[in-house]
Structure formats: C-alpha cells, structure tokens
Amino acid sequence: MFFMTTSATETAGERVQGVPLAEFRDVNLRYDGSSESTLALEHLDLDVHRGEMLAVVGMSGCGKSSLLKLISGLVMPTSGSVKIHGKSVTRPLGIVGMAFQKASLLPWRTTLQNLLLPTEVGSARRNGKGNGEAVARARDLLATVGLTDAENKLPKELSGGMQQRVSLCRAVIHQPELLLLDEPFGALDAFTREELWGVLQRLREETGCTVVLITHDLTESVFLADRVAVMSPRPGRIVYEAAVPFARPRHLDQRYESDFTRIAADLRHHISKPQEVLP
Ligand SMILES: Nc1ncnc2c1ncn2[C@@H]1O[C@H](COP(=O)(O)OP(=O)(O)OP(=O)(O)O)[C@@H](O)[C@H]1O
Ligand SMILES: [Mg+2]
C-alpha cells in the first residue's frame, strides 16, 4: 500500500478542527460518462480541514483542476461522494471563491468595478450587503494587496502581477468560506510570483478562509501550505500527504533551509521518479 498520510492535527496545528469542511470519498470522475471517455479521477479520498491551506500537486493532466471543479459543484462525480459541511455537493456553491492562472478581468471595467462584480451577480449577492459595504470591503482588500492607487485603472493599465492581485481580491470579495486557487501564479515571472505569495498570505490572514491551492511548483506548495497532497498521474488519486509545520508568517529565505528542502524533495520523490541525469 503506497498511500501514506499524517494526522490532521499535526498538519495545520490549531487551525484544523474535527469535521472536515470538504470531504472526497472514493471519488471516480469519468468525463462524458461512457467507458471510452477519460477517467480523470479514481478512488480519490481527501479531506479539506477548516482554516487550513491545502496545496495539491501532481503532474499535468492528473486531474487537479477536476478536483476543484468537483468541490465547487461545477461537475458531479461519476461515483463516490463529495461533501461540504457533511452535505453532498449538488450545484455550484456560494461559499466558494475561485481564481485561476489567467486573471480574466473584464477589460472595460476599472479595478474597483471588476472587484465588485461577484457582489452584483448570483448567490454571492447576499454577502455583498449593499453597495456601500461592498465598496468599503473592496477598498480594504485593495489596500491589503497594495493596489489602492489602481482603483480607477483599467486592466490594460495593470501589469500581470497587478491583474492577478485583483483576481485574488475578486475571489474573496463575497467572503467565501473556501477559496479555490488553480495555479494562480503559474503565468507570472519568478519575482512577481514570490511577491504574490506574500499577498496571498496577507489575504488569508485577513479573511480567515480555507484555501485549496493547485500548483505545479513544489517550493510554492511548501512555502504557502499547511499540508501538501500529492496526486498520482491520471487517473488521479491522492497518493501522499506531507505536513508543513513552519510557523507563520513565513519568509522567503526559509526556502533554502534544510527542513524546507527536505519536504520539497520528499514531495518530488512521490510525484514520480525524477528523471535520471545522463552523463
Ligand atoms: N471537460 C472535459 N471533458 C473531457 N475530458 C476532460 C475535461 N476536462 C478535463 N478532461 C481530462 O481529464 C484529465 C484531467 O484534467 P485536469 O484538467 O483535471 O488535469 P490537471 O491536473 O488540472 O492538468 P494541468 O496540470 O495541465 O492543468 C485530462 O486527461 C483532461 O484531458
Ligand atoms: Mg489544471
């Protein structure tokens, strides 16, 4: 049996409580439903604990984005169960906020107007509590991510990193309990990515939300997460979990310390066998 896990209380310290916020049990996901179609996930078991930042890593195509689509209710499992607060997910949920690799801001809207979008539509409206409160919250978020001066700018006037800051703020404007991030820093250069790690740490401190972060970057996963789950190649399932015990806030220099590199190397080993170096 190659599945291995560490206890929940060890992984995220005081943030972790007894009942998981989200639970996957023996989940299979086959796109299109026919036997010839793609089996994306197989026998996947995973808990997401309240208040933790969980990173999920794995090779391209292993089913990471599919996992997020299941938690958010955008797709339903072919078999097995996906539960939030102990109830099966049957439709997209308002308690979820999402951000992706591409910021996808509306080009004709200013930063502030883009940020306010989720408070104007759908099930998120109930948390917007009127325009005045939503605007005040949007401005607080912009201050948290260092974008106060960009409030009235259009997306084309912002750098890629600034656009991604707006995208992160937009994902939490309606105060979601659960923030789902699908490689949010994947398109950014290394320096901007490091800056955004700090931004995400601050946003999380500010909002207190539970985070599931999908990433290809093992250093990013260890730097940001309380716990890192490794998926097997497709059909994806969780094959390993590692606790990240470092106190917060974390500092970039910690990446070069032996405790840190040991965890990253351990994760790399469990993703797949590293390529042999040719002489
Ligand atoms: N809507 C869809 N219809 C059919 N197959 C799909 C669909 N979405 C994903 N797949 C397939 O399911 C598998 C898992 O896809 P998924 O996007 O979840 O992987 P991923 O781990 O997020 O990959 P990447 O790291 O490249 O983003 C892939 O083989 C993909 O081709
Ligand atoms: Mg993906």
Side-chain angles (χ1 to χ4, degrees), residues 168-229:
L168 288 174
C169 290
R170 185 181 54 187
V172 296
I173 185 74
H174 62 293
Q175 296 169 283
E177 223 176 316
L178 182 57
L179 176 59
L180 304 178
L181 302 175
D182 197 348
E183 299 188 43
F185 313 128
L188 304 174
D189 67 83
F191 299 115
T192 308
R193 199 179 310 153
E194 289 168 10
E195 264 178 53
L196 277 260
W197 293 349
V199 166
L200 177 58
Q201 288 199 97
R202 285 203 297 282
L203 267 184
R204 188 205 176 198
E205 248 350 273
E206 161 115 341
T207 60
C209 60
T210 304
V211 182
V212 180
L213 168 73
I214 303 293
T215 177
H216 278 117
D217 181 339
L218 295 181
T219 301
E220 179 172 290
S221 73
V222 178
F223 185 76
L224 288 171
D226 299 302
R227 189 163 60 103
V228 183

Side-chain angles (χ1 to χ4, degrees), residues 75-114:
V75 298
M76 298 301 143
T78 308
S79 63
S81 71
V82 180
K83 292 183 177 173
I84 294 215
H85 290 311
K87 289 192 184 140
S88 292
V89 177
T90 54
R91 61 190 166 82
L93 299 173
I95 69 153
V96 169
M98 293 187 88
F100 306 92
Q101 186 166 349
K102 205 162 172 281
S104 301
L105 304 177
L106 295 178
W108 59 89
R109 282 192 157 219
T110 64
T111 295
L112 186 66
Q113 289 166 343
N114 262 293

Side-chain angles (χ1 to χ4, degrees), residues 15-222:
R15 287 178 179 276
V16 173
Q17 296 162 19
V19 184
L21 173 55
E23 304 166 59
F24 292 77
R25 290 290 175 270
D26 199 15
V27 167
N28 293 290
L29 175 65
R30 188 180 286 286
Y31 281 105
D32 302 324
S34 82
S35 56
E36 282 99 52
S37 58
T38 304
L39 184 59
L41 303 173
E42 189 175 44
H43 302 309
L44 185 135
D45 288 303
L46 181 67
D47 285 346
V48 181
H49 303 289
R50 281 165 227 258
E52 78 171 333
M53 170 130 34
L54 170 70
V56 180
V57 297
M59 295 175 79
S60 183
C62 73
K64 301 181 296 298
S65 297
S66 300
L67 185 100
L68 288 197
K69 287 184 208 162
L70 284 165
I71 314 186
S72 59
L74 294 174
V75 298
M76 298 301 143
T78 308
S79 63
S81 71
V82 180
K83 292 183 177 173
I84 294 215
H85 290 311
K87 289 192 184 140
S88 292
V89 177
T90 54
R91 61 190 166 82
L93 299 173
I95 69 153
V96 169
M98 293 187 88
F100 306 92
Q101 186 166 349
K102 205 162 172 281
S104 301
L105 304 177
L106 295 178
W108 59 89
R109 282 192 157 219
T110 64
T111 295
L112 186 66
Q113 289 166 343
N114 262 293
L115 237 175
L116 290 171
L117 193 64
T119 70
E120 298 165 12
V121 291
S123 57
R125 184 181 291 164
R126 64 174 177 271
N127 285 333
K129 291 184 186 148
N131 196 40
E133 194 173 321
V135 169
R137 179 161 168 72
R139 291 196 167 123
D140 281 350
L141 287 170
L142 287 176
T144 303
V145 304
L147 279 187
T148 298
D149 293 345
E151 179 181 315
N152 295 314
K153 292 196 166 142
L154 292 169
K156 67 178 181 196
E157 300 174 275
L158 306 178
S159 69
M162 291 161 94
Q163 292 190 24
Q164 202 50 272
R165 285 171 201 239
V166 179
S167 166
L168 288 174
C169 290
R170 185 181 54 187
V172 296
I173 185 74
H174 62 293
Q175 296 169 283
E177 223 176 316
L178 182 57
L179 176 59
L180 304 178
L181 302 175
D182 197 348
E183 299 188 43
F185 313 128
L188 304 174
D189 67 83
F191 299 115
T192 308
R193 199 179 310 153
E194 289 168 10
E195 264 178 53
L196 277 260
W197 293 349
V199 166
L200 177 58
Q201 288 199 97
R202 285 203 297 282
L203 267 184
R204 188 205 176 198
E205 248 350 273
E206 161 115 341
T207 60
C209 60
T210 304
V211 182
V212 180
L213 168 73
I214 303 293
T215 177
H216 278 117
D217 181 339
L218 295 181
T219 301
E220 179 172 290
S221 73
V222 178

Side-chain angles (χ1 to χ4, degrees), residues 237-259:
R237 61 177 160 150
I238 306 299
V239 291
Y240 187 69
E241 292 182 18
V244 184
F246 311 133
R248 294 181 187 278
R250 297 174 182 171
H251 303 286
L252 288 172
D253 284 348
Q254 285 178 259
R255 287 173 299 169
Y256 309 112
E257 292 172 5
S258 58
D259 288 356

